[in-house]
Amino acid sequence: MAGCVLALLPSAWTHASAGPRLRTTADAPAAEVAVVFGAGLWNGRPTPYLARRLDAAVELYRAGKVKVVLVTGDNSRTDYDEPDAMRAYLTGHGVPDARVVSDYAGFDSWDSCVRAREVFGVHRAVLISQGFHIRRAVALCRAAGVDSYGVGVSDVHDATWYYGGAREVFATGKAALDAVFEPEPRFLGPKEEGVSRALASLAD
């Protein structure tokens, strides 16, 4: 019984931390930045799951609720580039290229949250992901110092959805450890001014 309780503690933490901060695109609070987490590519293009996250970002941008979209994903090898594929999707759906900022070292949720704060200077953001992931994303970004709200994108409950939900049981354990021990991201790197430049251009 004690083992079961310990196993469930990380999930309880993510629910407590993120629960009051989950929104839809319709009632999401205004924030300068939206953060979209990567979710894989098919033949160099966003998977349907990732496309739905990006569609939500487009909706928030068109509604004037966000001014800049930070796309964070994996570009650890030359033949796999999530951020550029995400950028191409957004610009193809009407978001100006100057309003999209790419994080090429978002290798996992913790890295993306820490880099948003430490590298890109994001202090407040609306996070976009699937429902099974968004609580963990909000909890991690808050632990990393980003005042976060989450938009959980709904999806058909197919095999991918069930896999994602099952994976969260284990991923929340790692997330809790990341929040406690605050490991440095796999690649932190120097500060980048992409977000601040994009926001400053709005005032010109």
Side-chain angles (χ1 to χ4, degrees):
M1 183 177 292
C4 289
V5 171
L6 289 174
L8 292 173
L9 280 177
S11 292
W13 163 66
T14 59
H15 277 68
S17 179
R21 290 173 169 261
L22 299 185
R23 301 288 190 271
T24 65
T25 52
D27 63 4
E32 291 184 330
V33 180
V35 177
V36 184
F37 295 83
L41 304 177
W42 283 355
N43 298 320
R45 297 183 178 181
T47 61
Y49 268 51
L50 180 52
R52 282 187 275 275
R53 298 181 186 188
L54 296 166
D55 288 339
V58 171
E59 186 176 343
L60 290 174
Y61 180 82
R62 288 176 176 170
K65 292 190 174 184
V66 300
K67 300 175 181 177
V68 174
V69 182
L70 175 62
V71 292
T72 176
D74 188 350
N75 181 216
S76 58
R77 61 183 194 269
T78 56
D79 62 340
Y80 190 84
D81 189 342
E82 280 187 315
D84 277 356
M86 295 161 77
R87 174 188 290 274
Y89 187 97
L90 289 171
T91 57
H93 287 74
V95 179
D97 186 71
R99 302 288 175 262
V100 183
V101 178
S102 298
D103 173 13
Y104 294 98
F107 300 122
D108 64 17
S109 299
W110 173 250
D111 284 13
S112 294
C113 290
V114 173
R115 285 177 53 81
R117 175 71 170 78
E118 299 298 329
V119 175
F120 294 94
V122 176
H123 297 270
R124 174 182 166 87
V126 174
L127 314 181
I128 303 172
S129 188
Q130 260 68 31
F132 55 74
H133 172 245
I134 195 62
R135 293 178 186 272
R136 177 163 59 92
V138 171
L140 283 172
C141 278
R142 292 189 68 197
V146 180
D147 181 19
S148 304
Y149 288 83
V151 171
V153 180
S154 60
D155 269 295
V156 175
H157 289 194
D158 57 10
T160 302
W161 188 91
Y162 284 109
Y163 168 78
R167 180 177 176 272
E168 282 302 301
V169 176
F170 303 97
T172 52
K174 178 184 180 299
L177 293 175
D178 287 339
V180 171
F181 294 105
E182 300 184 347
E184 188 159 307
R186 175 175 164 188
F187 179 79
L188 185 60
K191 293 185 181 299
E192 298 186 21
E193 298 180 353
V195 170
S196 60
R197 282 200 302 267
L199 292 173
S201 69
L202 294 170
D204 293 341

